Amino acid sequence: MATDQTRTAILTAAERLYAERGFSEVTLRDIVAEANVNLAAVNYHFGSKDELIAELFVTRSIALNRERLRELRAAEEAGGGRADISDILRALVGPILRGCLGPENQRSPVAQFMIRASIESVPPIRRIKTKEIDHLRKFAGAMRRALPDSAEVDLFWGLHFALAMAHHTIRESERLTKLSDGQCDLDDVEDVIARVVRGAVLGLTARDQAAKSKVKVAAREAR
Amino acid sequence: MATDQTRTAILTAAERLYAERGFSEVTLRDIVAEANVNLAAVNYHFGSKDELIAELFVTRSIALNRERLRELRAAEEAGGGRADISDILRALVGPILRGCLGPENQRSPVAQFMIRASIESVPPIRRIKTKEIDHLRKFAGAMRRALPDSAEVDLFWGLHFALAMAHHTIRESERLTKLSDGQCDLDDVEDVIARVVRGAVLGLTARDQAAKSKVKVAAREAR
DNA sequence: AATAGTTTCATACAATTGTTTGAAACGCAA
DNA sequence: TTGCGTTTCAAACAATTGTATGAAACTATT
């Protein structure tokens, strides 16, 4: 056995390169060069390039979802079965943000790979991705319990927007840094998480203000 | 001259295919088959595949930015030099959302192409994309005038989150529909725009609640 | 030491990619 | 019509891709 050095070497090399350059920009030859293994090793150990990608994605996807659910359950237990909406959303976006941002994780492409996977639409991943909806439904359920008076459609939008802010922050971190001249500190991961969660929670809870805002818009459009 | 049928045939075919499948999944042969022209026509008229992509991107990018600025200026004029923050963000996300969503635009890949371009990191576009930051700075400036008491870093985050929600909604429209069992109606474009703008505005203006929220978090972490 | 099973390796293969070529077809002024 | 510049076309090109092959090297049980 010997924990199969070649296999893991390929996996880590592939993940790093995919995270850095994207799927379509990385060839098998790039991977084996990075892993210092023979070209045929990929097909020998994984069968095909697609199966390598799929294995990477499934592994990371399971780990991410497990961490998310762990934090969600912890929050619900702490709240006696009904978690605070902030904690629910923190469980949703925290793990992926912690995995992608921060000075220490800049070099560790573990979660950066997941973002790539969620962005680029490559066949082997597209085939698997349907299951993520079931995973998100669990969070929608927790949100429903946390905000029983909210309309369900608003909960879905809130969940969607939370993921939007998290993913977009990871994808466009470089641009945001440039745009803000470094004022937006993407290395302060917990601050980023707090901003994302706060933004999503505000949209979900500030209902009275929404009414005010609507009146204002209506007034503006009336004149 | 004759308006160069071949050129435009290639452009529209390429844009449609790129919007549908993504850059890496479309070959020159796919494009020329769709456009009913000879393979060599692409290199004859555009020089290379990269230059074709670049021309597409630049053209669309200019049109989108022009529309955004037009709406921004209209809002600022209506407000006597100081536009409402909602209107500023509406000018930012409205054009791209209108171009991508809605039942009539589902088939028109004009703006869908732009999303692909902003997602997939293809070299010819990456080279151009830096200019977009200058464009966004104009919106940051307008936001500063609208909310002079806000910290600049918060404005950048608000701008960033507004784009996040807009882009993510376009990218993941299918998933959101599935997740919500069709409750989130992505054909109602103006409702989507209103939700995105409202979410971003809340994050920018609900300052008092932020303080409350922080206290709450601190309390939770203290125990 | 001998053998059977596993893993590695250099190399070749077939397919696909963007690009080039040179001749044919076309458009149109002289 | 003639001639010239532009555009089209079929074919070929060189490079790159994922994959397959069969021999060699290795590992470990007997």
Side-chain angles (χ1 to χ4, degrees):
Chain A
M1 289 205 188
T3 67
D4 221 356
Q5 291 187 359
T6 307
R7 249 187 85 95
T8 59
I10 291 174
L11 283 173
T12 61
E15 187 166 47
R16 223 187 65 183
L17 291 177
Y18 283 145
E20 280 175 5
R21 303 187 213 159
F23 294 102
S24 53
E25 308 291 326
V26 176
T27 72
L28 284 187
R29 284 167 177 82
D30 293 333
I31 295 172
V32 298
E34 181 80 9
N36 280 313
V37 300
N38 187 269
L39 173 59
V42 174
N43 289 279
Y44 177 78
H45 285 281
F46 299 93
S48 70
K49 188 194 184 185
D50 279 9
E51 288 175 84
L52 166 63
I53 295 179
E55 172 157 341
L56 271 173
F57 180 69
V58 169
T59 306
R60 294 309 179 190
S61 192
I62 288 173
L64 174 66
N65 290 350
R66 178 160 37 212
E67 173 60 16
R68 278 176 169 168
L69 284 180
R70 196 191 63 76
E71 295 190 15
L72 175 63
R73 295 223 176 88
E76 290 206 308
E77 280 176 20
R82 191 158 308 185
D84 192 80
I85 182 67
S86 300
D87 297 332
I88 295 171
L89 294 179
R90 202 185 315 272
L92 181 70
V93 301
I96 188 82
L97 283 168
R98 267 185 281 265
C100 286
L101 298 181
E104 73 278 6
N105 288 32
Q106 205 71 350
R107 292 277 163 85
S108 132
V110 178
Q112 190 85 20
F113 168 85
M114 291 299 293
I115 294 294
R116 282 280 185 196
S118 85
I119 291 170
E120 295 181 41
S121 173
V122 45
I125 289 181
R126 230 186 142 62
R127 256 177 268 133
I128 306 169
K129 222 177 149 188
T130 322
K131 290 188 197 164
E132 219 190 48
I133 293 187
D134 297 331
H135 180 249
L136 292 181
R137 268 188 229 280
K138 293 174 187 160
F139 280 85
M143 291 170 70
R144 201 176 302 126
R145 289 189 288 278
L147 302 174
D149 295 335
S150 289
E152 214 175 24
V153 62
D154 292 332
L155 296 181
F156 287 123
W157 276 108
L159 172 61
H160 170 73
F161 283 156
L163 284 175
M165 291 184 275
H167 281 208
H168 198 76
T169 299
I170 294 167
R171 291 207 297 119
E172 302 284 355
S173 62
E174 201 182 331
R175 188 177 75 174
L176 180 56
T177 303
K178 265 189 206 154
L179 175 66
S180 69
D181 268 324
Q183 291 183 65
C184 296
D185 182 12
L186 292 165
D187 286 342
D188 187 351
V189 187
E190 294 306 319
D191 178 61
V192 174
I193 294 176
R195 285 181 182 273
V196 170
V197 169
R198 174 175 167 266
V201 169
L202 277 176
L204 280 163
T205 57
R207 228 193 299 228
D208 34 332
Q209 299 205 337
K212 267 199 285 179
S213 182
K214 267 192 181 170
V215 170
K216 211 165 144 195
V217 168
R220 187 180 47 74
E221 285 176 347
R223 62 176 148 123
Chain B
M1 292 196 185
T3 66
D4 222 313
Q5 289 187 0
T6 307
R7 249 187 86 95
T8 57
I10 292 174
L11 284 172
T12 60
E15 186 167 45
R16 224 188 64 185
L17 291 177
Y18 282 146
E20 279 175 7
R21 303 187 214 160
F23 293 103
S24 53
E25 307 291 329
V26 176
T27 72
L28 283 188
R29 284 167 178 82
D30 293 334
I31 295 172
V32 299
E34 181 80 10
N36 280 312
V37 300
N38 187 268
L39 173 60
V42 173
N43 289 279
Y44 177 79
H45 284 282
F46 298 92
S48 71
K49 187 194 185 184
D50 279 8
E51 289 175 83
L52 167 63
I53 295 179
E55 172 158 339
L56 271 174
F57 181 70
V58 169
T59 305
R60 295 308 180 189
S61 191
I62 288 173
L64 175 66
N65 289 350
R66 178 160 39 209
E67 173 61 16
R68 277 176 169 167
L69 284 181
R70 196 190 63 75
E71 295 190 14
L72 175 63
R73 295 222 177 88
E76 290 206 307
E77 281 176 20
R82 190 157 308 184
D84 191 78
I85 182 65
S86 300
D87 297 331
I88 295 172
L89 294 179
R90 202 186 314 273
L92 181 70
V93 302
I96 187 82
L97 283 168
R98 267 184 280 264
C100 286
L101 298 181
E104 71 279 4
N105 288 30
Q106 204 71 352
R107 294 277 163 85
S108 132
V110 178
Q112 191 82 20
F113 169 84
M114 290 300 293
I115 293 295
R116 282 279 185 197
S118 84
I119 293 170
E120 294 179 42
S121 172
V122 46
I125 289 182
R126 233 186 140 62
R127 257 177 267 133
I128 306 169
K129 223 175 147 188
T130 323
K131 291 188 198 165
E132 220 190 47
I133 293 186
D134 296 330
H135 180 248
L136 292 181
R137 268 190 229 279
K138 294 176 187 159
F139 280 85
M143 291 169 70
R144 202 176 300 123
R145 289 190 288 279
L147 302 173
D149 295 335
S150 288
E152 214 176 22
V153 62
D154 293 331
L155 296 181
F156 287 122
W157 276 109
L159 173 60
H160 170 74
F161 283 157
L163 284 175
M165 291 185 274
H167 281 209
H168 199 76
T169 300
I170 293 166
R171 291 208 297 116
E172 303 284 356
S173 62
E174 200 181 331
R175 189 177 75 174
L176 180 56
T177 303
K178 262 189 207 154
L179 175 66
S180 69
D181 267 324
Q183 291 183 64
C184 296
D185 182 13
L186 293 165
D187 286 341
D188 188 350
V189 188
E190 294 306 320
D191 178 61
V192 174
I193 295 175
R195 284 180 183 274
V196 169
V197 169
R198 175 173 166 267
V201 169
L202 278 175
L204 281 162
T205 57
R207 227 188 304 225
D208 33 335
Q209 300 206 335
K212 266 198 288 179
S213 182
K214 266 191 183 171
V215 169
K216 211 164 143 195
V217 167
R220 187 179 48 77
E221 284 174 349
R223 62 175 149 128

